[in-house]
Amino acid sequence: MNLLEKIREAGIIGAGGAGFPTHVKLNCKVEYFIVNGLECEPLLQSDKYMMRNNSDEIIQAVEEIGKAIGAEHLVIGLKEEYKDEIQALKTSIGKFNSRVKLHLSRAFYPAGDEQVLVYEVTGRTIPPAGIPLNVGTVVSNSGTVFNIYEAMQDKPVTYKFVTVIGEVAKPSIVKVPIGTTVKEVLEKCGGAITRDYAIIMGGPMMGKRMSKDHIESRVITKTDGAIIVIPEDHYLAQREKMTIEHMKNQAKSACIQCHFCTDMCPRNLIGHPINPHKIMRSIALNEDNKDVLKQAMICCECGVCEMYACPMRLSPKRINVYVKGKLRESGVKWENTTNTFTGNILRDYRKVPTERLVARLQLSGYKRQRLQEGEEINPIEVKIPLRQGIGAGTTAIVNVGDTVEKGQFIGRVEEGKMGANVHASIGGVVSEISDSIAIKAIQAEVIK
Ligand code: SF4
Ligand code: SF4
């Protein structure tokens, strides 16, 4: 089996984003292979943990990927404050005589946005609505690269390292079998220390808020990397509850057209024609200006405009999400009118410092938490979704009552369809098959 076939067999999808199947993404020839080790969102530390503890594996995998896709440049993007991780990777680069280079950047948000990272490393702007391949690059998250190393040893994706932080007794980085409930992960970390709490699955800027009522049904998937527990009355939890009508009314009554949202928009700063202040004006004045509203389609939803830039605390990002949804329903697609995009010369001065962003989000206390490491969860039951990430779902190839071993192939993507295979994350007996495969452990086992 070649590397791509091994990656396909192992069921690898992008570990840090929307979950695009990795064997499809790497089926190309490019100039640059870039590893995203920047852990874009504040508070998350799972990727750092892996780079610190598995630098040998990551460097070996990057070399193999580089050969497979013919990449001339192999680059790992990191923040310059990641001293231990930089040291570990440098040691591994020396040990394997690797040609991998480290690209160090300041701690700013969203340094790990794929388009921002490509711009920082290559100076090239990916066209709006485009992908890194358009400018001769491929980007993979460091967690994905670690999974590729495992695939090289014929080990499929069966677990995730998850950062659990915030209002929990033992903030930790935990090794979690895919399909474990969020409830069980929280219990492993001593449980929530606040009675009324909400959960953010992912980072505070782009993660999904979830009520605590769902912790028993929501399970960890291949794309999860963090659970943040916040008080129910926290600014971030309350903000999510605002209706679109309320946001539109706010835009009408309070947008002062200062255009700070546009000045600080990371996509505008790399040369994309997106101007959130104009979208806000169009909404406020009921202008229905299609040329302006269409710009919402190239918003990456990073949240800089509303969580950091706007002095009136308005919601340009969520207005964009709303407008984007409406345009998609009407079949509108983004089309570029030029191939030339030029970054703003003031970009370096307009980057959002992570520390200041964390303070603005009222999360500084969590940033100071020391995370425990090395804990593993041994669940007595998992529910492994048949669809995780972008593409088609898988079809179960086991039956209720079957005994399965950890790592066994249990869900297959149909031939010719885009998706990712699914494997048992614990050994046990298949107890139910629906949109997920439930496995009950026969006996407690330790993840190796
Ligand atoms: S930053 Fe806020 S007030 Fe200023 S233009 Fe943008 S939405 Fe309006
Ligand atoms: S969320 Fe706001 S800042 Fe981010 S890309 Fe969209 S418009 Fe720009």
Side-chain angles (χ1 to χ4, degrees):
M1 252 193 272
N2 66 26
L3 185 64
L4 285 188
E5 287 163 347
K6 286 196 173 208
I7 292 170
R8 185 179 192 278
E9 281 304 298
I12 301 177
I13 57 177
F20 194 82
T22 304
H23 66 279
V24 180
K25 189 187 228 185
L26 293 181
N27 190 9
C28 60
K29 295 288 174 204
V30 289
E31 192 182 339
Y32 280 88
F33 178 63
I34 304 174
V35 180
N36 189 347
L38 287 141
E39 207 123 49
C40 189
E41 289 256 17
L43 305 184
L44 277 52
Q45 297 194 30
S46 306
D47 288 352
K48 271 175 78 182
Y49 174 81
M50 264 184 282
M51 288 190 290
R52 204 162 56 236
N53 293 296
N54 300 99
S55 54
D56 281 359
E57 290 85 345
I58 288 173
I59 294 299
Q60 289 175 83
V62 175
E63 284 287 344
E64 286 307 306
I65 297 163
K67 280 184 219 153
I69 64 177
E72 190 182 324
H73 306 284
L74 307 176
V75 182
I76 301 180
L78 295 156
K79 290 180 186 150
E80 56 196 12
E81 65 181 25
Y82 291 0
K83 304 287 183 215
D84 293 346
E85 294 72 22
I86 292 167
Q87 189 51 53
L89 287 165
K90 278 186 174 168
T91 304
S92 300
I93 289 169
K95 182 171 165 186
F96 295 103
N97 196 20
S98 167
R99 60 195 174 106
V100 172
K101 299 268 182 297
L102 303 184
H103 177 91
L104 307 182
S105 75
R106 271 164 37 204
F108 72 95
Y109 177 83
D113 174 84
E114 196 167 73
Q115 304 224 3
V116 170
L117 177 58
V118 168
Y119 185 84
E120 290 266 321
V121 172
T122 68
R124 301 171 187 172
T125 297
I126 299 169
I131 56 174
L133 204 53
N134 299 135
V135 292
T137 62
V138 163
V139 181
S140 282
N141 167 273
S142 50
T144 311
V145 172
F146 175 69
N147 286 339
I148 292 174
Y149 177 82
E150 299 257 86
M152 285 158 53
Q153 323 304 314
D154 299 317
K155 288 189 192 162
V157 183
T158 56
Y159 64 88
K160 285 284 296 191
F161 289 106
V162 179
T163 302
V164 187
I165 198 164
E167 300 292 319
V168 281
K170 274 195 308 174
S172 311
I173 295 170
V174 205
K175 191 174 181 180
V176 186
I178 305 292
T180 307
T181 63
V182 170
K183 180 170 185 269
E184 196 152 349
V185 180
L186 288 182
E187 281 170 1
K188 187 74 182 176
C189 298
I193 52 172
T194 310
R195 197 166 65 99
D196 295 318
Y197 64 91
I199 303 279
I200 301 173
M201 295 299 295
M205 294 294 280
M206 297 181 75
K208 296 270 177 287
R209 183 191 168 277
M210 183 177 92
S211 149
K212 68 176 184 179
D213 300 338
H214 296 120
I215 59 171
E216 279 184 68
S217 54
R218 174 67 159 85
V219 298
I220 298 298
T221 68
K222 293 177 187 179
T223 58
D224 288 318
I227 299 172
I228 306 175
V229 183
I230 53 173
E232 177 60 39
D233 60 359
H234 189 277
Y235 164 69
L236 290 177
Q238 292 304 314
R239 220 187 138 92
E240 282 283 316
K241 292 181 180 166
M242 209 187 293
T243 65
I244 185 68
E245 284 314 314
H246 189 96
M247 288 183 244
K248 281 159 74 176
N249 286 335
Q250 276 191 330
K252 286 186 179 114
S253 60
C255 177
I256 53 174
Q257 285 296 292
C258 62
H259 61 74
F260 286 170
C261 48
T262 295
D263 291 346
M264 303 198 78
C265 170
R267 292 293 171 99
N268 178 289
L269 288 170
I270 60 169
H272 287 189
I274 177 167
N275 300 277
H277 78 286
K278 290 187 181 170
I279 300 172
M280 291 295 273
R281 186 169 62 208
S282 191
I283 290 288
L285 302 178
N286 283 326
E287 279 180 349
D288 195 25
N289 182 336
K290 291 214 168 36
D291 284 344
V292 168
L293 292 177
K294 241 177 132 174
Q295 296 176 5
M297 301 198 79
I298 55 170
C299 165
C300 69
E301 302 172 25
C302 68
V304 164
C305 49
E306 68 181 51
M307 305 302 266
Y308 191 82
C310 181
M312 306 303 286
R313 300 220 152 183
L314 304 183
S315 310
K317 175 190 108 173
R318 274 171 298 166
I319 294 278
N320 284 354
V321 172
Y322 165 77
V323 172
K324 201 191 296 192
K326 290 281 173 205
L327 292 172
R328 279 196 187 131
E329 275 171 26
S330 329
V332 177
K333 290 203 173 88
W334 176 265
E335 279 168 25
N336 290 313
T337 52
T338 173
N339 287 327
T340 312
F341 305 96
T342 311
N344 191 311
I345 51 166
L346 295 175
R347 181 173 172 271
D348 263 348
Y349 304 100
R350 292 188 180 163
K351 289 175 178 171
V352 176
T354 308
E355 207 64 43
R356 292 236 301 270
L357 176 65
V358 168
R360 192 76 62 91
L361 298 175
Q362 300 170 21
L363 297 171
S364 298
Y366 302 155
K367 182 101 194 317
R368 289 190 289 272
Q369 288 180 331
R370 287 184 68 83
L371 304 190
Q372 297 194 17
E373 298 176 0
E375 294 275 8
E376 302 179 358
I377 297 185
N378 300 302
I380 51 165
E381 184 181 28
V382 291
K383 283 190 175 160
I384 303 166
L386 285 164
R387 185 170 187 275
Q388 302 177 47
I390 288 174
T394 55
T395 307
I397 55 168
V398 288
N399 297 305
V400 172
D402 286 357
T403 300
V404 293
E405 289 178 12
K406 191 180 86 176
Q408 187 175 323
F409 190 18
I410 56 171
R412 178 177 30 223
V413 180
E414 274 179 45
E415 204 54 50
K417 291 211 168 152
M418 189 176 77
N421 293 331
V422 170
H423 302 78
S425 58
I426 62 171
V429 175
V430 176
S431 57
E432 191 188 332
I433 298 175
S434 53
D435 55 355
S436 56
I437 299 177
I439 302 170
K440 284 203 162 105
I442 297 171
Q443 57 187 31
E445 64 162 26
V446 176
I447 305 168
K448 297 206 174 67

